[in-house]
Amino acid sequence: MAKEAPYIVPVRELPAHRRFEVPAALVTDWLRGLPMRDALGAPDPDPQAGGGTAELDLYADGTHVFAAGQLSGHLVVACGRCIGPVRIELDEKLRVTFMPPGQGPVSPGRSPQEEEGAADDGAEVREEDLDTFPFDGERVDLEPMLREQFVLAVPFAPLCREDCKGLCPQCGIDLNTGTCACEKPVDPRLAALKGLKIPP
Ligand SMILES: [Zn+2]
Ligand SMILES: [Zn+2]
């Protein structure tokens, strides 16, 4: 992958509007090892793995960095039945807070007094604070946030279509596109008996 880190933004350059491209090679990296990716048997890096674009407004309040915007893209995983490719679309609103070491979540625009009160009871967690990432106080790295969006978008049981017929459990043919002469799957408890030849 690229030697420089394309998703790192120095805090001194903020506020800024930035556009980040996510190439297929990086999607390959992020999703490597997930069963629904590995099942595809795709090349590595996989030019068809997916990709996307994030448009973000970044600003700092002197302590935290806030990023808000939109991520659109797609990724490709294997159908849980036929292991054919399934394209998953991403269209996510992003709103995250980067916290320096030793800091708790904070909302923009609150006074230090309000901050102290909120920190004590912990009840005032606004929704926009829930997505938080650490940063070193000088530079934010947006890659973990983008990676999380792609990883979370992978469905538990992706289907290429609602009524995917899957693969024949005997010969492995894709029953969506072909037929085979295999008998219907039998109860596994009876499968052992099926191998027995009864002499005429
Ligand atoms: Zn399928
Ligand atoms: Zn078959």
Side-chain angles (χ1 to χ4, degrees), residues 79 81-84 159-161 164 166 176:
C79 171
R81 288 184 195 155
C82 73
I83 67 169
L159 285 181
C160 61
R161 57 186 217 221
C164 173
N176 297 303

Side-chain angles (χ1 to χ4, degrees), residues 68-150:
Q70 189 80 19
L71 168 68
S72 54
H74 76 282
L75 56 94
V76 176
V77 292
C79 171
R81 288 184 195 155
C82 73
I83 67 169
V86 183
R87 184 184 165 111
I88 309 290
E89 300 296 333
L90 271 99
D91 193 13
E92 301 292 331
K93 270 204 162 24
L94 301 178
R95 184 174 284 274
V96 300
T97 302
F98 292 88
M99 291 186 300
Q103 290 286 321
V106 64
S107 290
R110 279 207 249 163
S111 71
Q113 288 77 13
E114 285 173 315
E115 227 35 82
E116 275 188 17
D120 282 340
D121 56 33
E124 290 218 19
V125 178
R126 296 197 199 170
E127 197 173 330
E128 65 250 36
D129 293 332
L130 296 180
D131 263 321
T132 60
F133 293 85
F135 83 114
D136 63 7
E138 293 182 6
R139 306 175 314 160
V140 290
D141 184 1
L142 297 157
E143 181 180 332
M145 177 195 77
L146 296 171
R147 180 179 60 223
E148 183 181 276
Q149 294 297 322
F150 276 80

Side-chain angles (χ1 to χ4, degrees), residues 168 170-173 180 182:
C168 169
Q170 272 98 339
C171 71
I173 194 172
C180 61
C182 300

